[in-house]
Amino acid sequence: MVSTTGQLDAPLVDIGAVQREYWERKTVELPSLAKFQKPKGWRGWFKKTHTPVCVIRRLNNTEWDTINEKFLDLRTELAKDSILLQDIIAKTMDGDEISQDEKLIISSATAKAMPIYIGMLEAMIEEPKMNYAEVQAMLDVCDQNDRDNLMAQVNTLTSEKMSVAQAVANERMSEVNELRTQMLGELNLNG
């Protein structure tokens, strides 16, 4: 029989944290761009064309700050409409039908936010290195599935960044609340 003394007190592995921190680079396939891959040389006609890929990476805090500064005006403009958008999204989540005007508001907000997504992709795409105009051209040529896949990757990274920031903020607030209760307890004892 194997002794397990001390092992029961060990913390369990937080697989969510491991998955968030696991990848630094990710390869994303873009099959809709395969038609633009021309074979090179006469032997290229006999070779199978491969699905084009781009390699994206996680951004560090400095890069996130740069993106936030670059699109500050656009973000403040989007923030003005955020309450209306949240109401429309809540309405759709409840299963209610949205009007044509509400659909126009959502599509307008999506179109306004697109430069931010393109800026994020410009910073995230590591291979092949592209500038803002090239990323925009690539998204224009991609079909809807590939575009949605890339936007989902951006959203995943953004939500991971937000969840980490929220976890840190919650931890700090719990520390502040604990200190506050200690100080109030000491004041009540002395008072």
Side-chain angles (χ1 to χ4, degrees):
M1 186 149 190
V2 177
S3 174
T4 59
T5 306
Q7 292 180 359
L8 297 177
D9 296 337
L12 297 175
V13 174
D14 183 6
I15 239 13
V18 170
Q19 286 174 335
R20 276 195 301 270
E21 295 300 323
Y22 176 70
W23 70 276
E24 288 295 320
R25 293 168 44 112
K26 185 176 255 184
T27 302
V28 179
E29 292 186 349
L30 303 168
S32 66
L33 299 179
K35 61 187 173 198
F36 299 106
Q37 299 286 349
K38 302 240 189 272
K40 296 179 181 172
W42 65 272
R43 289 186 182 172
W45 291 104
F46 300 107
K47 292 182 182 177
K48 182 179 186 274
T49 58
H50 297 286
T51 303
V53 297
C54 69
V55 178
I56 61 173
R57 65 179 174 83
R58 296 181 72 178
L59 300 178
N60 59 31
N61 287 334
T62 308
E63 292 167 325
W64 282 111
D65 292 341
T66 303
I67 291 170
N68 288 337
E69 290 171 11
K70 184 177 180 181
F71 297 105
L72 184 61
D73 295 337
L74 182 57
R75 290 183 51 189
T76 54
E77 185 178 330
L78 288 170
K80 293 176 187 174
D81 300 334
S82 66
I83 295 173
L84 178 62
L85 288 171
Q86 288 174 359
D87 291 342
I88 294 171
I89 291 171
K91 189 175 177 182
T92 59
M93 295 303 261
D94 292 339
D96 298 337
E97 188 70 27
I98 58 174
S99 69
Q100 193 63 30
D101 290 338
E102 291 171 331
K103 289 179 184 177
L104 287 174
I105 291 170
I106 290 176
S107 65
S108 172
T110 304
K112 281 183 188 177
M114 193 52 83
I116 298 173
Y117 281 111
I118 294 171
M120 287 179 188
L121 268 174
E122 176 190 8
M124 284 180 196
I125 294 176
E126 192 167 82
E127 295 175 23
K129 200 63 185 159
M130 292 188 257
N131 61 26
Y132 186 89
E134 292 169 337
V135 172
Q136 189 172 18
M138 181 188 69
L139 287 177
D140 288 343
V141 172
C142 285
D143 68 357
Q144 191 64 38
N145 290 333
D146 287 349
R147 192 176 308 119
D148 290 344
N149 187 18
L150 279 172
M151 293 303 120
Q153 296 296 336
V154 172
N155 285 335
T156 300
L157 290 174
T158 306
S159 64
E160 281 181 13
K161 177 79 174 163
M162 291 303 291
S163 66
V164 169
Q166 185 66 35
V168 169
N170 289 342
E171 183 179 326
R172 298 294 182 250
M173 283 307 295
S174 66
E175 290 173 2
V176 167
N177 289 337
E178 185 178 317
L179 287 172
R180 181 183 299 143
T181 55
Q182 286 177 357
M183 287 174 53
L184 289 175
E186 290 175 7
L187 288 174
N188 288 338
L189 290 175
N190 294 335

